[in-house]
Amino acid sequence: MDQSAIGNNLKNNNCFDNLIAAKKSLKLCLVKSKTIGLALEKAGPRLEEINQRLPSLEAAVRPIRADKDALAAVGGHINRAVGPAAAVLKVFDAVHGLEKSLLSDPRNDLPGYLSVLKRLEEALRFLGDNCGLAIQWLEDIIEYLEDNRVADGRYLLNLKKSLKGLRVLQNDGEKIRLDGGLLDAALDKLENEFRRLLMEHSLPLPMSSPSLGEQARIAPSPLPVTIIQKLQAILGRLIANNRLEKCITIYVEVRSSNVRASLQALDLDYLEISVSEFNDVQSIEVYIGQWGKHLEFAVKHLFEAEFKLCNDVFERIGLDVWMGCFAKIAAQAGILAFLQFGKTVTESKKDPIKLLKLLDIFASLNKLRVDFNRLFGGAACIEIQNLTRDLIRRVIDGAAEIFWELFVQVELQRQSLPPQDGTIPRLVSFITDYCNKLLSDDYKPILTQVLVIHRSWKHEKFQERILVNEVLKIIKAVDLNLETWVKAYDDATLSCLFAMNNHWHLYQHLKGTTLGELMGDSWLREHEQYKEYYSTVFLRESWGKLPAYLSREGLILFSGGRGTARDLVKKRLKTFNEAFDKMYKKQTGWVISERDLREKTCQQIVQTMLPVYRSFMQNYGPLVEQDASSSKYAKYTVQGLEQMLLSLFLPRRERYGSFKGRPTSSKFENGVDLRRTASAVV
């Protein structure tokens, strides 16, 4: 075999061996691939886990690459930052430990509740003072880590976001509390306890039938000392948390309501009367008297008690606070309504009666002047002060104006006509009584004080006799009015009756009075003498003329026989009856107001008329008695005539019917047998 063939065989053998080896190698690789595939399949989750841990591992490894000095200092920075933060967290946990106690009812253990609340306040102050510091330390360490590339950037970003949120919480603490609203809830409970203590111990004064005139004592504090101490303790905590205004609101609401409830028993609806609801002061005169008593009671008892209680409860806070609290109570409880009523009276129609009522109001206010200055003298009561000053000025101006106009008003009345019934004009009776009241011990000092003040406002001096002289002027003006009115009557007899009425009224009603003493005895005697004079003239010019109609002239010496005498008696009786009827008819509408003067005048008329009439009828009545027309002539019995005369001049409410007698019979009503024989006539 040639050398080339041998060579080829060798090459073929080698290729075959290589193929077998490759086959084995490929087979082995395939097995390994399957094994690796299975291993990779099993390692997939682990690789994912490793992939997720890579950032943290990278961050953990990063410090290895940081500067050696930065790595050495980072531990101290971290410790300083974590220390305050850990302290804050510890206190924050303690705050939540107080929650159960603070959500309980304070009334069960008020001192304990306040103690726990104080601990909460201290904890919150610590948190408020240190949270910012802890955040600052944490921000500093983050900045250090960031500057020195000691930590991962994403990690630092998350830390920054968290710290930013904490900083917002700190800066917005009024809205979002670190205690989760526990402090506000506890303070709300304290406010409710404050209100409860006040309401349970604020009871209206029992005033079913108060004797207001006798109650001049100062009322004691209406709350027990222990309750006041509890209120003060609650106030301390609420004030420390900026809730003073809410406390004052609660206090004013409860206490003013209590005062109003006390005043309701006094029936003060009249305080709401407006000027348009009454025509004059007389229509509310009774209320003005009540007003003074009610105001005194309210000031000396109710407001005095509230003044003292405000001081007791709020004294530790300061004068301005408790005075302001009292001012609100007084205003809401009704003092303004009292002052407004007084103002309403000053705005009413001006008349003399109003002067007395204004003086009553001034007397009431003056009596309470010291109390008003003490209770309402502070700056907080400026509204009450202004209303009081305005009321006093209105009262003084109104009273002075009415007083100085009295003389003018009396003069103006002179132009009016006198009463048609001859009675006393209302002006005369009113002015005499009125001036007596002005000069009485009840009103003279008050009126004098009012006029002194009024003149001082005008920088004028008040002379000692000015009040007396003005009253003298007024009474003299009344005298002049009477003189004018006496001359105004067309009927001279009625004029005399009028003069007699009024002169007697002045004498009788002023004798022994302050005004009478001021006018003097000679003035009084003059009016008494005038009364006597006009009484005499009145009788002479009226009833004194009637007896002449029953003259016996011609009857005693008459010799013409019984028939002629009867005719003459009839004629005289007829004339008398006509004159009597005319006189009685005219004067039955006249009035003598004073009972003693009326009775005396009627008796004088009876004494003037009756003896003559009785004698005439006794002697000559039988002549006409048997006549068929006897009733035309013997119209009146003696008793009937007397009753008619005694019923004259009565005021209309006392007047009653006629006293005409029945037709003449054999006996007249006085029981005397007036029948006479013819010889008795002739």
Side-chain angles (χ1 to χ4, degrees):
M1 181 175 292
D2 60 8
Q3 196 70 19
S4 60
I6 295 169
N8 288 332
N9 289 332
L10 288 173
K11 286 181 181 178
N12 291 333
N13 289 333
N14 287 336
C15 288
F16 182 77
D17 291 337
N18 288 337
L19 288 172
I20 294 172
K23 177 182 177 183
K24 291 180 180 179
S25 177
L26 287 172
K27 195 174 185 179
L28 181 61
C29 287
L30 182 62
V31 172
K32 287 183 178 179
S33 295
K34 289 180 179 180
T35 303
I36 292 171
L38 292 173
L40 287 175
E41 186 178 350
K42 293 179 180 179
R46 292 183 62 195
L47 289 173
E48 182 65 28
E49 182 180 353
I50 291 170
N51 185 54
Q52 291 177 355
R53 291 176 61 188
L54 280 176
S56 60
L57 291 173
E58 182 183 2
V61 174
R62 185 180 296 275
I64 299 175
R65 296 178 295 168
D67 183 80
K68 181 179 180 181
D69 293 335
L71 284 173
V74 73
H77 282 288
I78 291 174
N79 289 336
R80 284 194 298 272
V82 171
V88 167
L89 290 174
K90 185 177 180 180
V91 174
F92 188 75
D93 289 338
V95 165
H96 286 282
L98 303 176
E99 185 172 347
K100 182 178 180 180
S101 298
L102 293 176
L103 293 180
S104 63
D105 195 335
R107 79 171 73 184
N108 297 329
D109 179 14
L110 183 60
Y113 191 92
L114 294 174
S115 176
V116 174
L117 179 60
K118 192 171 183 181
R119 288 168 55 193
L120 174 63
E121 293 171 17
E122 293 171 351
L124 291 178
R125 276 196 298 272
F126 177 85
L127 291 176
D129 294 339
N130 291 278
C131 277
L133 181 61
I135 293 172
Q136 184 64 51
W137 278 105
L138 292 173
E139 288 175 342
D140 289 345
I141 189 60
I142 290 174
E143 183 178 352
Y144 179 85
L145 294 173
E146 188 176 29
D147 291 343
N148 292 275
R149 298 181 179 180
V150 176
D152 180 68
R154 288 177 294 177
Y155 176 72
L156 293 178
L157 181 62
N158 290 333
L159 285 177
K160 285 182 178 181
K161 288 181 179 179
S162 298
L163 288 177
K164 184 179 180 181
L166 289 176
R167 183 66 75 181
V168 171
L169 288 175
Q170 182 196 21
N171 295 334
D172 199 21
E174 292 299 322
K175 296 180 181 178
I176 305 175
R177 309 291 300 208
L178 291 174
D179 62 350
L182 180 59
L183 178 62
D184 282 339
L187 294 176
D188 289 342
K189 284 184 173 292
L190 274 187
E191 286 180 357
N192 292 335
E193 178 64 5
F194 188 81
R195 182 187 295 273
R196 185 191 69 81
L197 288 172
L198 279 174
M199 293 186 67
E200 288 188 0
H201 296 87
S202 296
L203 301 176
L205 291 182
M207 297 184 298
S208 55
S209 299
S211 179
L212 298 181
E214 299 175 0
Q215 297 188 20
R217 69 188 186 282
I218 301 302
S221 175
L223 292 185
V225 175
T226 55
I227 300 302
I228 292 177
Q229 292 172 344
K230 288 183 178 181
L231 293 174
Q232 289 176 335
I234 293 174
L235 275 172
R237 298 273 47 85
L238 291 174
I239 292 171
N241 290 278
N242 299 317
R243 293 217 182 185
L244 174 60
E245 288 302 320
K246 186 64 177 298
C247 291
I248 291 176
T249 299
I250 293 172
Y251 186 89
V252 170
E253 176 188 338
V254 174
R255 294 304 302 177
S256 61
S257 175
N258 188 66
V259 175
R260 288 196 300 272
S262 297
L263 290 174
Q264 283 179 356
L266 301 180
D267 190 15
L268 300 180
D269 291 343
Y270 66 87
L271 294 180
E272 305 300 325
I273 293 178
S274 63
V275 177
S276 61
E277 289 179 299
F278 59 88
N279 298 321
D280 52 44
V281 177
Q282 286 179 313
S283 63
I284 60 165
E285 187 173 355
V286 64
Y287 295 136
I288 296 175
Q290 292 178 355
W291 176 86
K293 293 180 180 179
H294 292 162
L295 177 62
E296 181 179 0
F297 179 82
V299 170
K300 286 187 173 292
H301 291 72
L302 302 179
F303 294 123
E304 177 69 37
E306 294 305 320
F307 183 83
K308 185 179 185 303
L309 184 60
C310 280
N311 181 30
D312 291 343
V313 174
F314 296 97
E315 62 178 340
R316 299 176 184 175
I317 305 172
L319 178 66
D320 293 342
V321 172
W322 73 261
M323 282 294 292
C325 188
F326 169 72
K328 292 177 182 178
I329 291 173
Q332 293 183 23
I335 188 65
L336 300 181
F338 278 102
L339 298 175
Q340 181 58 47
F341 176 82
K343 181 182 177 182
T344 300
V345 175
T346 65
E347 294 173 345
S348 63
K349 182 180 177 182
K350 185 169 61 178
D351 59 47
I353 288 294
K354 182 178 175 180
L355 170 57
L356 299 179
K357 298 301 107 183
L358 291 177
L359 295 179
D360 288 339
I361 291 176
F362 180 83
S364 296
L365 293 173
N366 193 49
K367 185 177 180 180
L368 297 171
R369 179 169 52 86
V370 174
D371 299 283
F372 261 74
N373 290 338
R374 181 169 52 84
L375 298 179
F376 310 116
C381 296
I382 188 65
E383 182 182 10
I384 298 174
Q385 295 169 25
N386 290 338
L387 287 175
T388 304
R389 281 194 290 267
D390 179 63
L391 175 58
I392 292 174
R393 177 171 289 278
R394 287 170 173 270
V395 167
I396 291 176
D397 285 341
E401 182 182 3
I402 294 173
F403 177 74
W404 295 118
E405 286 186 0
L406 282 176
F407 173 75
V408 177
Q409 293 299 322
V410 172
E411 282 193 318
L412 290 175
Q413 290 293 318
R414 197 172 299 156
Q415 307 302 320
S416 61
L417 294 175
Q420 294 181 356
D421 56 5
T423 190
I424 301 165
R426 185 175 180 273
L427 174 71
V428 176
S429 58
F430 175 81
I431 287 295
T432 52
D433 291 341
Y434 190 76
C435 289
N436 252 326
K437 286 183 179 179
L438 292 181
L439 295 174
S440 68
D441 293 338
D442 292 334
Y443 286 108
K444 185 179 178 182
I446 303 171
L447 179 56
T448 301
Q449 187 177 358
V450 165
L451 295 178
V452 168
I453 296 173
H454 189 259
R455 292 231 159 183
S456 70
W457 289 347
K458 296 183 176 181
H459 306 289
E460 300 175 357
K461 290 185 178 180
F462 181 82
Q463 302 297 327
E464 194 68 30
R465 290 275 304 175
I466 194 168
L467 172 58
V468 170
N469 291 339
E470 190 66 19
V471 172
L472 287 173
K473 278 177 56 180
I474 293 170
I475 298 302
K476 289 178 180 178
V478 171
D479 270 344
L480 189 56
N481 283 11
L482 288 177
E483 292 178 14
T484 303
W485 288 334
V486 166
K487 299 173 183 178
Y489 286 102
D490 295 330
D491 190 312
T493 307
L494 180 57
S495 175
C496 289
L497 180 82
F498 172 80
M500 176 179 67
N501 255 332
N502 287 275
H503 285 297
W504 180 247
H505 176 82
L506 292 176
Y507 170 77
Q508 188 73 2
H509 281 264
L510 298 185
K511 181 178 63 174
T513 66
T514 304
L515 181 57
E517 293 174 1
L518 177 65
M519 301 307 297
D521 290 338
S522 60
W523 184 86
L524 290 172
R525 284 196 299 271
E526 183 178 347
H527 281 285
E528 184 183 24
Q529 291 168 359
Y530 272 124
K531 170 260 175 185
E532 293 295 339
Y533 167 76
Y534 283 111
S535 178
T536 301
V537 173
F538 171 76
L539 285 171
R540 185 183 66 226
E541 297 300 322
S542 57
W543 299 101
K545 294 181 178 181
L546 264 62
Y549 292 113
L550 298 177
S551 171
R552 297 187 182 190
E553 183 179 354
L555 290 175
I556 298 177
L557 301 177
F558 194 86
S559 57
R562 185 180 180 88
T564 303
R566 182 185 299 111
D567 291 340
L568 189 55
V569 168
K570 286 182 178 181
K571 182 178 180 181
R572 290 186 178 173
L573 282 174
K574 181 180 179 182
T575 305
F576 170 82
N577 290 336
E578 290 174 351
F580 176 85
D581 289 345
K582 182 179 179 181
M583 185 77 67
Y584 184 83
K585 182 179 180 180
K586 179 172 70 172
Q587 295 193 14
T588 194
W590 297 355
V591 174
I592 299 179
S593 304
E594 305 292 338
R595 181 176 180 179
D596 55 345
L597 179 61
R598 180 171 65 248
E599 291 178 351
K600 183 178 180 181
T601 302
C602 289
Q603 285 293 342
Q604 288 176 336
I605 295 173
V606 167
Q607 291 170 9
T608 300
M609 294 281 302
L610 215 59
V612 176
Y613 186 76
R614 180 184 291 110
S615 176
F616 189 86
M617 293 304 294
Q618 285 177 343
N619 289 295
Y620 306 111
L623 289 175
V624 297
E625 175 181 78
Q626 302 301 325
D627 195 287
S629 59
S630 61
S631 60
K632 291 173 53 180
Y633 307 105
K635 291 179 62 177
Y636 304 105
T637 66
V638 174
Q639 184 179 3
L641 192 66
E642 181 179 13
Q643 290 178 330
M644 289 177 67
L645 294 174
L646 291 177
S647 69
L648 283 170
F649 314 124
L650 285 169
R652 293 185 178 179
R653 62 180 179 276
E654 300 179 28
R655 205 167 290 163
Y656 44 86
S658 172
F659 285 92
K660 287 186 179 182
R662 62 186 178 206
T664 306
S665 63
S666 59
K667 290 188 178 181
F668 288 87
E669 292 181 359
N670 59 7
V672 179
D673 189 350
L674 298 181
R675 287 180 292 178
R676 294 292 186 268
T677 60
S679 60
V681 180
V682 298

